[in-house]
Structure formats: C-alpha cells, structure tokens
Amino acid sequence: MNEYPVRAGSMLYTLVDPNRGYEVEYNRWYERDHFYAGCLIGPWLFAGKRWVATRELKDLRFPHDSNVATPTDRGSYLATYFVLEGKHDEHFKWAAEQVWNLYANDRGFPERQHAHTVMFNSPWAYYRDDDPVPIELSFDHPYKGLGNIFIDRSEGATEDELRDFIETKALPSIMSSGSPIASCVNWKPIPRNDDIDGNAPMDLGSPTGNDERTNQMFFLEDDPRNVWDLFHSYANSISESGLATVSLAAPFIPTIVGTDIYTDQLW
C-alpha cells in the first residue's frame, strides 16, 4: 500500500489543571482510569497521548495575553486523542453518553479545572523528511516534546493565503533537513455543540476560536527547552506576514506513564 486506511480525521484536545493539593490523585485518576474509560475504549478512537507542562515549561509560553489559556500559564496536563477519519460523530456520541455514565458511577474527578478542551478536524500535515513518521503514529513514536502553537487568521486574510504562507515559507524556515522538528499537523476547531458540550458535567474552559483559528502541533526530536528559539522565530514570521497572529505558543513534554514524576513541578 502507498496509502493506508488508518487516517486521523479529528482530534480531542484537553488542557487541564488539577486543583492544588490534588496533583498526584488527578494524575493517577486520569492515567489509570479516565484515559482509557473515557476515551480509548470508545469506538474509532485509535491513539492517545498525555503531555505535561512543568512550571519551567509554562514560563516559556507566549504571548502573555493569550486567549487560549487564560492566564497564559493555565493548563498543566494536555491529553490528545485521534479519531479515525469519517468516524467523528460515532465516537463522540458514545463519549457524550460515557462521561455521564462515569460521573454517575463516581468515576469523575471534580478537583480539576479545564483550561481549553476542544475538538478539531480537517488536519493537514507538513513533514521534514521525505519518508516521515506519519502523523497517525506520532503519539506512539518516542518524540521528546511537543510544540503547540495556536494562530488566529487576520481579518481580510483568506485561509488559502495563510496556508500557502505556512507551507511554503514559515514551516520550511524552521523544518529544513537536520531540524529537531520532525512534523507539524494543523487542525481547525469544531464549534461546540450546546446540545452536547453544553451538557457536559464540567466547564470546558476558554472558547474554541472559530474559522479563523488553526491549532498547530509540532513533534520534536529534542527537548523543547533546547529549541524554543525556533518557535519565537516562527511566531515572528507569522506576525510579520500580517496574515495571522500567534494566540498561544506552549511547549510540553511527554508524561512518564505509570509514575507520578512531574506532579511536584507544576506550580
């Protein structure tokens, strides 16, 4: 096969803080129960990954007046999940029912606050290499970090203009051969459905952004602390184009599954 039928069509992105004093309990509840019971056992969701932002990583975020994480350092744990292309509605119909079933059976965790929980679709990927690790495998590949950038398209700029600039100028400037950035996948937010999301058993955090927003996930072969200057350069190129502004740039590292490492480094 040249094209494989397992393709990511949509994503659940959930950025959350445990309440202070509940860091270990939250980490264990999410990793040992909710990651599976609330997501991975559901139909058509085929990959998931947890990431963490320590205090040191939060201090690298910019700009300081983000409309994604408000305040900018809000959100310590990020969970990301891929749903098979064409199966979004089927999975999230199950998920909307499942979350209420879990809470009804005392399997929720009230000592947490969502910073930004949103669904995304319409992915397109840009790769450094001719024979890359496909985006669909990115959560299972041993990347050392994630660079996450939200950009909001400027009034008067078109989506085609912005994508052309990103693909032909902005991304090549930081993802040439030898770059520590292996790939970038770009997503569009799905506006919240009040009939489903408005009935969730928790507040989901800041607004989704609308058609103007793009969520970019950069998969890194080096610790994000060592390469964050590249993202400042990238953000400057986006701003100087006049086509968009950066609403949040945030680095993350993978959690170490089965441990409580980093729970004492969040604040």
Side-chain angles (χ1 to χ4, degrees):
M1 291 184 184
N2 292 322
E3 293 290 336
Y4 295 91
V6 177
R7 297 178 60 87
S10 58
M11 174 180 67
L12 172 61
Y13 175 106
T14 178
L15 181 63
V16 175
D17 272 320
N19 290 349
R20 292 185 186 235
Y22 291 87
E23 296 87 353
V24 171
E25 290 87 346
Y26 171 77
N27 183 59
R28 293 191 174 201
W29 166 79
Y30 200 97
E31 181 176 88
R32 303 180 187 201
D33 187 18
H34 197 67
F35 183 82
Y36 298 99
C39 296
L40 281 185
I41 67 170
W44 307 114
L45 188 149
F46 69 89
K49 183 80 171 181
R50 292 188 73 218
W51 313 85
V52 63
T54 61
R55 178 72 257 171
E56 183 181 8
L57 290 169
K58 290 176 185 176
D59 287 344
L60 297 178
R61 292 180 182 178
F62 64 89
H64 294 302
D65 57 348
S66 171
N67 60 9
V68 178
T70 308
T72 302
D73 64 353
R74 190 177 178 198
S76 302
Y77 284 101
L78 171 64
T80 51
Y81 304 91
F82 290 158
V83 175
L84 194 70
E85 186 176 63
K87 300 297 185 179
H88 177 89
D89 290 346
E90 289 182 56
H91 172 75
F92 285 102
K93 180 180 184 298
W94 171 87
E97 297 171 355
Q98 179 72 350
V99 70
W100 280 106
N101 288 336
L102 291 172
Y103 269 71
N105 286 280
D106 198 28
R107 290 173 67 183
F109 194 89
E111 298 293 340
R112 59 171 174 159
Q113 306 295 324
H114 286 242
H116 192 68
T117 294
V118 178
M119 302 174 199
F120 294 85
N121 63 9
S122 304
W124 62 269
Y126 182 92
Y127 297 103
R128 178 194 61 199
D129 301 331
D130 293 334
D131 185 20
V133 175
I135 289 301
E136 285 73 16
L137 304 184
S138 57
F139 293 163
D140 295 310
H141 189 77
Y143 288 117
K144 294 182 179 179
L146 177 75
N148 192 192
I149 292 192
F150 288 79
I151 59 176
D152 286 344
R153 178 166 41 85
S154 302
E155 186 175 354
T158 69
E159 193 69 24
D160 288 343
E161 287 174 327
L162 179 57
R163 176 166 174 173
D164 180 69
F165 174 78
I166 290 171
E167 277 191 293
T168 64
K169 295 183 180 179
L171 291 177
S173 72
I174 61 169
M175 292 180 63
S176 59
S177 178
S179 169
I181 305 172
S183 58
C184 172
V185 61
N186 300 261
W187 300 90
K188 300 299 292 182
I190 301 172
R192 289 183 183 137
N193 182 335
D194 289 339
D195 291 336
I196 297 175
D197 306 310
N199 196 33
M202 76 291 287
D203 179 81
L204 298 177
S206 58
T208 61
N210 295 308
D211 184 58
E212 80 282 355
R213 175 157 295 169
T214 300
N215 177 1
Q216 298 185 298
M217 298 170 66
F218 294 80
F219 293 95
L220 310 179
E221 294 177 339
D222 196 356
D223 188 303
R225 287 163 284 204
N226 297 334
V227 303
W228 203 237
D229 284 348
L230 288 174
F231 289 93
H232 281 279
S233 297
Y234 179 78
N236 288 338
S237 70
I238 294 291
S239 298
E240 290 169 1
S241 74
L243 297 172
T245 56
V246 172
S247 295
L248 178 67
F252 297 88
I253 54 177
T255 61
I256 300 176
V257 177
T259 77
D260 296 319
I261 295 172
Y262 306 125
T263 56
D264 61 348
Q265 301 177 42
L266 305 183
W267 316 119

